[in-house]
Amino acid sequence: MRTYSYFPGCSLEKMAMSYHQSAMQTTNKIGVELKEIEDWNCCGATTYFHVDELLAYTLVARNLAIAEKMGHDLVAPCSACYKNTYFGSAYLKEDQDLSDHINYALEADNLHYSGSIEVKHLMEVFVDDVGLEEIKSKITHPLEGLRVAPYYGCQIVRPRKDHEDVENPQFFEDLMSTVGADPVDFTYRLRCCGGSLIITSREAALSLVRDLLQSAVYSDADVIATACPLCQTNLECYQMTVNREFGTDFSIPIMYFTQLLGLSMGLPPKKLGIGTEFVSADRILTFAKEKV
Amino acid sequence: MATKPSFSEEVSNLMHASHGNPLKTCVQCGTCSGTCPVAEFMDHTPRCLIGMINANLKEEVLESNTFWYCASCFHCTVRCPKEIDIAGLMYSLKRYSIWKHTYPEGAIGPVFSETFVKSILRSGRSYEPVLAPTYIFSYGVREFLNEAHTATNLMLKGRLPVLPPRIKRLENFKKMANKIIPMGGA
Ligand code: SF4
Ligand code: SF4
């Protein structure tokens, strides 16, 4: 059994509840336990850094400190939470002054972060920690013939953390092949979904969303798979708005990778939060057929 | 005698967390502008803006909408041949213009940022509907109704909470924030 301190983040509480449900169900199948960080706070999203950087790192440090106290590495399913927490932890580890100052603030909540844990994105837990071989052994309903556009977006791969390939990552494709689906050649797989521009510069964000949907349609995808609640929201909840504003008629389901994984493990759609989307995912369910 | 830092030095000093190279090393190759997915909406491309900073064109830089259009996608940052953290620069310019209150009248970015921050400091978590007033003031009624439509659909699907979430140890949380930025009182 592998255990992690789990930081769901604000979106997963409600907006992206289906991501949370499917994450819980699928990790359970592969012997991974996600223990929710007790009384976690918002990571600051992409917005907090506009206002005050130091406070932004303090918010991140509080979650890190609680996760460390629980004694496990921290895992975040949201790419923005992951990026903020990853770099927050890295800076605290390398900058003693910053760490002293922030730990002084953490005393107000009887906490301390010493930097002994790692920060991971949920997808890394599947791909690196558990491994594709192990996952493959749990696939009972391979999604044969399903054409998936694996959408990385930004913060799961950028900025660069180590020496990883930021221009041509393959881990998402590999995971989709493991569940039996066909990852399509998706030109815009690394392009931005607009993030919070959907609120601040709507016109720009909607055009990014349109380009992404168009790119997936060109590659003849049945579904776009995501690993981030912000990407999912922009691509799905604003799909109708894009259709209205640009006169397009997109109707492509946007699903979390954990939902596709869950279907291929034979889990019931309802348990994976399928059924609360605006663009129905019903068609996708028919691909999950029991192996003969 | 003490000399006043130039605008480009001031901006460089603001890039605390950025581990990139100094803006001065920019060779104006334009890779960042070619990479940026929102460049067509900006009044100056990222390359151009960096050129302007290096030329100390303070007013023109602060009047620019470039950094408010930046989506923090970090694509420019990972591609810059000089390893300049351009996304980090855009963040510092947002902070600079919020501090100095130099952003253009009616800009929604700064209002959104401030509302967001206040909402987190109040409850420890973020809650989308609190941000709604930003729309009304900045976009007008039609766009707001469009958003409200999306929001209502989300509520009906059970995807928006009716009450704002908050953390349990809120008092400690506020004290913690106060130790970083003393706000008096609280
Ligand atoms: S990519 Fe780097 S070196 Fe080239 S123009 Fe942009 S900031 Fe300057
Ligand atoms: S980080 Fe900002 S400036 Fe850089 S490519 Fe992305 S949107 Fe453009």
Side-chain angles (χ1 to χ4, degrees), chain A residues 139-206:
Chain A
I139 309 293
T140 52
H141 294 64
L143 306 174
E144 259 164 52
L146 180 69
R147 295 178 59 84
V148 183
Y151 179 47
Y152 290 84
C154 303
Q155 316 209 325
I156 193 170
V157 277
R158 294 188 299 270
R160 192 190 301 278
K161 279 140 211 104
D162 210 344
H163 295 290
E164 77 273 24
D165 190 346
V166 292
E167 290 293 347
N168 190 22
Q170 284 299 319
F171 59 87
F172 207 155
E173 278 84 354
D174 294 345
L175 183 61
M176 291 297 104
S177 304
T178 304
V179 304
D182 299 327
V184 299
D185 199 353
F186 179 28
T187 315
Y188 276 179
R189 68 202 179 107
L190 294 165
R191 208 175 189 241
C192 179
C193 76
S196 65
L197 285 186
I198 200 75
I199 293 176
T200 56
S201 313
R202 191 188 157 86
E203 195 197 349
L206 288 178

Side-chain angles (χ1 to χ4, degrees), chain A residues 10 13-15 38-42 44-55 57-59 62 66 83 91 94 101-102 104-109 111 154-155 158-160 166-167 190-192 194 196-204 207-208 232 236-238 244-245 276-278, chain B residues 14-19 37-38 40-41 68-75 77-79 91 94-95 98-99 108-109 112-114 116-117 120-121 124-126 128 131 135 139 142-143 146-147 149-150 153-154 157-161 165-170 172-173 175-177 179-181:
Chain A
C10 299
E13 275 199 298
K14 266 291 183 186
M15 191 79 174
E38 183 265 326
D39 205 35
W40 54 268
N41 57 261
C42 174
T46 50
T47 316
Y48 218 113
F49 293 83
H50 301 181
V51 181
D52 192 279
E53 215 173 6
L54 190 57
L55 200 47
Y57 288 123
T58 310
L59 293 183
R62 181 172 176 275
I66 307 172
K83 181 228 128 200
Y91 293 149
E94 69 189 33
H101 188 43
I102 287 182
Y104 154 76
L106 289 180
E107 282 169 18
D109 200 20
L111 293 167
C154 303
Q155 316 209 325
R158 294 188 299 270
R160 192 190 301 278
V166 292
E167 290 293 347
L190 294 165
R191 208 175 189 241
C192 179
S196 65
L197 285 186
I198 200 75
I199 293 176
T200 56
S201 313
R202 191 188 157 86
E203 195 197 349
S207 92
L208 295 184
Q232 203 282 342
E236 199 208 15
C237 304
Y238 288 89
R244 238 187 352 254
E245 309 241 329
T276 56
E277 55 282 328
F278 291 163
Chain B
L14 283 171
M15 297 173 65
H16 307 296
S18 167
H19 288 206
V38 279
E40 58 173 302
F41 293 92
W68 289 111
Y69 269 100
C70 171
S72 316
C73 78
F74 292 92
H75 229 141
T77 299
V78 297
R79 284 192 178 164
Y91 270 131
K94 284 172 183 167
R95 286 197 295 275
I98 288 183
W99 289 342
I108 191 162
F112 173 69
S113 300
E114 283 174 24
F116 188 86
V117 166
I120 296 176
L121 286 182
R125 297 207 182 154
S126 86
E128 283 86 355
L131 305 169
Y135 284 113
Y139 278 139
R142 196 182 75 91
E143 283 78 2
N146 269 340
E147 288 317 310
H149 183 71
T150 310
N153 278 337
L154 285 167
K157 300 252 181 194
R159 281 170 62 175
L160 266 193
R166 50 171 62 225
I167 62 171
K168 283 186 244 134
R169 296 196 303 273
L170 195 55
N172 287 353
F173 179 83
K175 273 186 214 147
M176 170 187 90
K179 288 178 98 167
I180 291 291
I181 302 179

Side-chain angles (χ1 to χ4, degrees), chain A residues 13 26 31 57 61 82 99 154 166 223-224 235 268 271:
Chain A
E13 275 199 298
T26 47
Y57 288 123
Y82 162 63
S99 158
C154 303
V166 292
V223 59
I224 299 178
L235 291 179
K271 286 199 164 171

